[in-house]
Amino acid sequence: MRILGVPMDLGQRRRGVDMGPFAVRYAGLYDRLAALGYKVHDAGNVVVPVPEMTRDDPTLADQPTARHLPAIAQVLREVCAASRAIAAAGDIGVFLGGDHSISAGTIAGLASDDRLGVVWVDAHADFNTPQTSPSGNVHGMPLAALLGDGPTSLTSLAPGGWRLDPASVIIVGLRNVDGEERRRLVESGVGVYTMRDIDERGMASVAGEMVRRLSHVDRLHVSLDLDSLDPDVAPGVGTPVPGGLTYREAHLLMEILADSNMLRSLDLVEINPILDKGNATAEIAVELAASLLGQRIL
Ligand SMILES: [Mn+2]
C-alpha cells in the first residue's frame, strides 16, 4: 500500500485544502492502515505550485473559465504517472488531497485497466467543463474530464485516448448540481444516487445496488470527497452543503464497498484544516479509509 499526498490548492478558491495531506497524516492514517495488516509506504507529497507562484510565471498563466489550469495539469501529469506505477506494482494507492481536481490524475493513472469501476462519493457531481462552470474552478471538472469532456490538458492525461466508461461510474451523496451540469449528467449514462435516494431507501439498499451495478468490473477506485458528509459531521471542507451523509451512512457505504473485495485505490479529498474543528474531518477521513480497506466491527 502506498500513500501519496497531493497538496493541491489551485482547483478552488478557499485556501487551506493544501494542508489536507498533513492533517490526514496527523490523524494517524499510517498506523491505522498498518494495524489492518498492510505493508504501508508513505511516498510523501507531490510538489504543487502555490497560487502566488502562478502570478509571475507566464507558463502557469491563469484562465477565467478554468482557473490555474496549466499549473494543475502540470501537477496531474506527475500524479497520473505515480498512480500508474502504483497500479502496475499491484499496490493499493491512497491519495491525499488537496482539492478534487487531483482525481483527474489519480484515476487516469489506472487507464490500462478496462474493467475499472469508480465510485464518486460527493455532494457535487464535478461534471462541469470550462464552458458550463459558473465559477471556473477546476475541482468541479474532474469527473467530466475523465469521461472525455473538458480541456485537452485534463482529458489527455491517460495514454491512447482512454476514457472512463460512464456505465462503470457511480456518484453517491449528490445534492448540489449546477444548471448545465445537471443536463450533461442526466445524459451521460453515469449512475447517480442522490441524498433523496439514500433518505428513501437507506444506505444498505443503495450501496448493495451500486455493487451489483458494478458487477462487470473487477477493480474499484473510490474517490471520497469529504463534503459528501453532513457539515455537522465533517465541517472542514471548502464547499459544505447541508443535508449530507451521516457518520454511520458513510461508514456503511465504505463497509459494503469493502465487502466487494474490489477496492484497489482511494482518494481522500477536499479536507480543509483551516475550516475544521480540531481536525475532526481528517480523523473521519482516516476512519472511513480504514472501513473501506477492511476494518470490521467484529
Ligand atoms: Mn468533489
Side-chain angles (χ1 to χ4, degrees):
M1 174 175 295
R2 188 165 284 245
I3 298 169
L4 182 68
V6 189
M8 171 70 78
D9 194 15
L10 300 169
Q12 41 81 60
R13 285 167 208 246
R14 298 187 82 167
R15 303 297 294 272
V17 78
D18 54 329
M19 300 178 201
F22 301 96
V24 172
R25 288 188 180 105
Y26 294 157
L29 179 69
Y30 186 108
D31 288 342
R32 282 295 285 277
L33 300 183
L36 292 173
Y38 293 102
K39 188 170 179 292
V40 185
H41 173 71
D42 192 327
N45 290 347
V46 170
V47 174
V48 180
V50 299
E52 286 81 354
M53 289 167 70
T54 68
R55 288 183 195 165
D56 47 24
D57 183 342
T59 65
L60 301 175
D62 210 354
Q63 315 181 3
T65 58
R67 298 179 67 248
H68 300 303
L69 178 62
I72 291 169
Q74 177 184 297
V75 172
L76 293 194
R77 285 192 285 277
E78 187 178 344
V79 170
C80 178
S83 173
R84 186 179 306 129
I86 293 167
D91 238 346
I92 294 174
V94 179
F95 302 97
L96 314 179
D99 67 59
H100 218 159
S101 68
I102 73 162
S103 301
T106 63
I107 296 172
L110 308 170
S112 62
D113 193 337
D114 56 1
R115 285 162 62 84
L116 169 72
V118 171
V119 175
W120 197 273
V121 189
D122 206 319
H124 310 89
D126 297 347
F127 219 74
N128 271 303
T129 67
Q131 289 71 42
T132 69
S133 170
S135 66
N137 292 336
V138 175
H139 79 154
M141 307 180 189
L143 188 50
L146 287 160
L147 290 155
D149 289 326
T152 309
S153 60
L154 295 185
T155 59
S156 64
L157 288 164
W162 176 85
R163 301 281 180 263
L164 196 53
D165 176 5
S168 302
V169 181
I170 292 177
I171 301 172
V172 59
L174 187 71
R175 57 191 184 277
N176 188 311
V177 193
D178 299 320
E180 186 63 10
E181 182 185 38
R182 174 182 287 107
R183 186 189 63 74
R184 295 186 60 260
L185 178 62
V186 168
E187 291 174 356
S188 70
V190 165
V192 181
Y193 294 94
T194 66
M195 284 311 302
R196 178 174 175 170
D197 295 317
I198 296 162
D199 290 342
E200 290 184 341
R201 296 175 48 192
M203 181 57 91
S205 165
V206 164
E209 186 175 294
M210 285 167 53
V211 171
R212 287 194 295 280
R213 277 175 83 153
L214 292 172
S215 59
H216 61 288
V217 308
D218 53 19
R219 293 163 69 87
L220 195 61
H221 176 95
V222 172
S223 200
L224 175 58
D225 188 322
L226 270 293
D227 73 22
S228 59
L229 284 125
D230 193 274
D232 285 346
V233 179
V237 298
T239 40
V241 186
L245 300 177
T246 66
Y247 181 85
R248 268 311 308 167
E249 282 170 340
H251 267 287
L252 182 58
L253 173 61
M254 297 299 131
E255 288 162 339
I256 290 170
L257 293 174
D259 288 347
S260 76
N261 287 318
M262 294 195 293
L263 195 276
R264 294 295 179 274
S265 43
L266 162 66
D267 308 318
L268 297 171
V269 301
E270 299 282 352
I271 297 156
N272 188 325
I274 288 179
L275 305 174
D276 207 0
K277 292 180 183 148
N279 215 26
T281 304
E283 286 170 5
I284 287 167
V286 169
E287 291 173 11
L288 292 174
S291 282
L292 185 59
L293 289 160
Q295 181 167 302
R296 293 165 174 270
I297 295 172
L298 281 179

